[in-house]
Amino acid sequence: MFGQMMEFPLLISTMLTHAERYTGEAEIVSRMVDGSLHRYTYRDAHKRTKQLANALVKLGVNQGDRIGTLAWNTHRHFEAYFGIAGIGAISHTVNPRLFPEQISYIINHASDRFLFVDETFVPTLEAIGDQLTSVEKIFVLTANENFSTKLKNWEPYESLIKNESTEFEWPQFDERSASSLCYTSGTTGNPKGVLYSHRSTLLHAYTAAMPDGLGVSNRDVVLPVVPMFHVNAWGLPYICSMMGAKIVFPGPFMDGASICQLINDEKATLSAGVPTIWSGVLNYLDEKKLSIPSLKRVVIGGSACPEAMIRTFLKKHQVDVVQGWGMTELSPLGTMNTLKANQTSLTDDEKIKLKAKQGRVLFGIDMKIIDETGDELPWDGKAFGDLLVRGPNVLSNYFQNEDPILIKDKNNQEWFATGDVATIDPDGFMHITDRSKDVIKSGGEWISSIELENTAVAHPDVLEAAVIAAYHPKWEERPLLIVVKKSGTNLQKDELLNFFDGKVAKWWMPDDVVFIDEIPHTATGKILKTKLREDFRDYKLPEK
């Protein structure tokens, strides 16, 4: 007979308790809103988080109450992550880059009782404060008691916690209780809420921390550039606490110079963010002729990482790029592109081409691709269809039971339709070829806008590129390439189109090129193709 296991519930508070007890000396460094650096340890963080927990209890916060945050990646936001969830309330991270009407909708839909907000975002709340029907009080993440604001009922964060005890007994409750709430970016319709449990958050952190995931260890110095208001910074605050890794929070400073300075000054070994951030970093390094010798791995997700970016990181800076894919609905990481044993002997060029794919699933996710009739397609790396996923890391309903989202396949199994179009190769590496709403259907055949975009940005004079469908009288749709040139270059249309020769199928070639000053982006850094389609809806392709 096996003995009874001495279990304790998988609660978010256990991660910070573990960090204090076993790696309490590890540092958490923050670039603050004023540009200064704040530096303390996990041991300090746990004490202050317990002060916050005491304050929240005195405010009458109950288990299941939603507490919102509009904040950058800093130590105070970190404390809110753990203090709110630790007492059984729900940490609701609000993306401050959304439109004001979306922010007010999200806060009201979640019925947030209190808000924690960085000074930067106070003007946003001042403009919509009268619309926030559920909010009782706002806490500004500052120590400045003389901070000036038009907000009616607010208090500095440091005043809230300064007189509270550093002793607090974290409550024990069902690990399946809700811990955090994230909303989708809402590019179509209102944003939808995805509720995570303590259990799912810890299991996601376990899986993502593994060597074939993010590969985080106590010896790493982690710079989470991906915002904490964007699907919990891909789980990094939890993962780092679980492993006791040093964290370097960049605050609001996401430009190339600031990121490079933090990497070099704090000797960061691992960082994570969207491609637009890394484009700025690489341009800065190139302009200033600088290096980043401590950095070993960069995790890139949010949108497809161009092969040219992977090549530059590896060849010029000896940094390994690990591309990931996920969704708010997946907790969020679904796949990571870490090579398998049978791929380690590939040449660098072969590895780079493979790394341009989104990779293979983490434990807790299953996937398949289907055609328009619902039949499963082969894993041959060629057939592409709608990507479906399922598993314990995948949500079953949106918050407040909005919109049932699961579909049943021909075997009566339920799957979540991601909205992506993808291929899967024989080794299980998934490659997104497009969003289903962005794919270009030319004469009944599909053209991948992502592949055309990645080819375009490989040109040394291209800063950013987007491809949308333009109306064609014969083929119905043809690709239109929209480009932002690098500063000081004189790239011409014919030169760029000639660059595509031999890189894509002839019939995939863009029919035209338009140069613009700036490409619009969503609040999470993705190209806003709905705006581009609106701007170019009447565009006339050249006659051929």
Side-chain angles (χ1 to χ4, degrees), residues 189-418:
N190 286 322
K192 294 181 174 64
V194 180
L195 201 60
Y196 306 129
S197 71
H198 287 257
R199 178 181 173 82
S200 71
T201 300
L202 263 76
L203 291 178
H204 178 271
Y206 270 126
T207 306
M210 289 183 180
D212 280 351
L214 296 171
V216 178
S217 82
N218 172 254
R219 296 168 295 285
D220 276 309
V221 178
V222 181
L223 174 62
V225 181
V226 55
M228 293 169 72
F229 56 70
H230 178 51
V231 284
N232 292 335
W234 300 346
L236 280 168
Y238 305 121
I239 294 165
C240 290
S241 300
M242 183 180 283
M243 308 310 295
K246 175 180 174 179
I247 310 176
V248 181
F249 288 127
F253 301 96
M254 303 293 191
D255 59 286
S258 299
I259 296 297
C260 290
Q261 182 186 13
L262 278 180
I263 290 171
N264 285 331
D265 289 354
E266 300 299 326
K267 297 188 169 40
T269 60
L270 169 65
S271 190
V274 298
T276 49
I277 291 291
W278 299 118
S279 178
V281 167
L282 290 175
N283 285 337
Y284 179 78
L285 291 171
D286 190 47
E287 290 171 7
K288 301 298 182 181
K289 304 294 187 289
L290 295 175
S291 62
I292 40 175
S294 67
L295 196 64
K296 305 303 178 190
R297 304 185 312 288
V298 167
V299 178
I300 300 180
S303 56
C305 177
E307 190 176 312
M309 183 175 287
I310 300 171
R311 186 178 301 277
T312 301
F313 264 121
L314 181 63
K315 296 285 192 179
K316 197 166 187 178
H317 299 287
Q318 293 74 55
V319 174
D320 185 32
V321 170
V322 180
Q323 186 164 190
W325 168 83
M327 303 177 71
T328 308
E329 292 88 344
L330 270 61
S331 298
L333 295 178
T335 65
M336 296 294 295
N337 196 323
T338 49
L339 301 185
K340 297 172 77 170
N342 64 340
Q343 296 162 338
T344 56
S345 60
L346 296 174
T347 66
D348 281 349
D349 286 342
E350 289 171 331
K351 288 179 181 177
I352 289 169
K353 188 166 289 293
L354 182 58
K355 282 180 170 290
K357 299 183 178 185
Q358 279 62 50
R360 52 199 176 94
V361 293
L362 297 173
F363 181 78
I365 298 287
D366 191 14
M367 67 179 177
K368 69 176 179 178
I369 49 175
I370 61 171
D371 63 18
E372 293 178 349
T373 67
D375 289 326
E376 184 169 1
L377 294 168
W379 289 20
D380 59 7
K382 298 174 184 177
F384 54 95
D386 295 314
L387 178 65
L388 308 182
V389 294
R390 64 174 181 168
N393 287 3
V394 182
L395 91 167
S396 56
N397 282 101
Y398 289 108
F399 181 58
Q400 308 285 28
N401 293 319
E402 285 192 0
D403 298 336
I405 55 168
L406 300 184
I407 64 171
K408 288 188 178 181
D409 64 13
K410 294 185 175 181
N411 296 319
N412 209 34
Q413 294 177 327
E414 289 187 324
W415 295 77
F416 174 68
T418 66

Side-chain angles (χ1 to χ4, degrees), residues 38-240:
H38 178 275
R39 191 182 300 272
Y40 70 169
T41 66
Y42 278 103
R43 191 171 291 116
D44 301 323
H46 195 202
K47 288 178 180 177
R48 283 173 51 88
T49 302
K50 288 189 282 188
Q51 287 180 288
L52 173 60
N54 280 311
L56 292 173
V57 170
K58 285 184 179 177
L59 286 169
V61 175
N62 301 308
Q63 185 173 348
D65 285 348
R66 273 78 67 197
I67 311 295
T69 67
L70 288 87
W72 298 109
N73 292 14
T74 68
H75 72 290
R76 291 188 179 113
H77 201 181
F78 179 85
E79 291 162 13
Y81 257 49
F82 285 89
I84 295 167
I87 66 169
I90 298 170
S91 171
H92 172 208
T93 51
V94 181
N95 186 338
R97 293 173 177 163
L98 294 172
F99 295 116
E101 58 269 24
Q102 289 180 314
I103 293 175
S104 60
Y105 169 83
I106 287 170
I107 292 172
N108 288 332
H109 187 265
S111 299
D112 290 331
R113 286 188 60 191
F114 301 97
L115 296 178
F116 290 86
V117 54
D118 262 322
E119 298 171 46
T120 314
F121 307 120
V122 166
T124 300
L125 288 186
E126 289 175 337
I128 63 173
D130 292 340
Q131 304 169 28
L132 306 179
T133 56
S134 63
V135 175
E136 299 171 24
K137 194 168 185 177
I138 295 170
F139 299 98
V140 179
L141 297 174
T142 180
N144 181 9
E145 295 187 5
N146 297 316
F147 179 76
S148 178
T149 174
K150 297 175 184 176
L151 292 173
K152 295 176 182 177
N153 192 9
W154 74 281
E155 182 181 350
Y157 176 81
E158 295 298 331
S159 298
L160 171 70
I161 70 170
K162 68 179 180 181
N163 294 322
E164 298 296 338
S165 170
T166 58
E167 297 298 320
F168 185 83
E169 190 72 29
W170 295 109
Q172 303 288 290
F173 44 82
D174 189 341
E175 63 188 26
R176 290 176 172 81
S177 302
S179 65
S180 53
L181 176 63
C182 296
Y183 278 70
T184 62
S185 56
T187 53
T188 56
N190 286 322
K192 294 181 174 64
V194 180
L195 201 60
Y196 306 129
S197 71
H198 287 257
R199 178 181 173 82
S200 71
T201 300
L202 263 76
L203 291 178
H204 178 271
Y206 270 126
T207 306
M210 289 183 180
D212 280 351
L214 296 171
V216 178
S217 82
N218 172 254
R219 296 168 295 285
D220 276 309
V221 178
V222 181
L223 174 62
V225 181
V226 55
M228 293 169 72
F229 56 70
H230 178 51
V231 284
N232 292 335
W234 300 346
L236 280 168
Y238 305 121
I239 294 165
C240 290

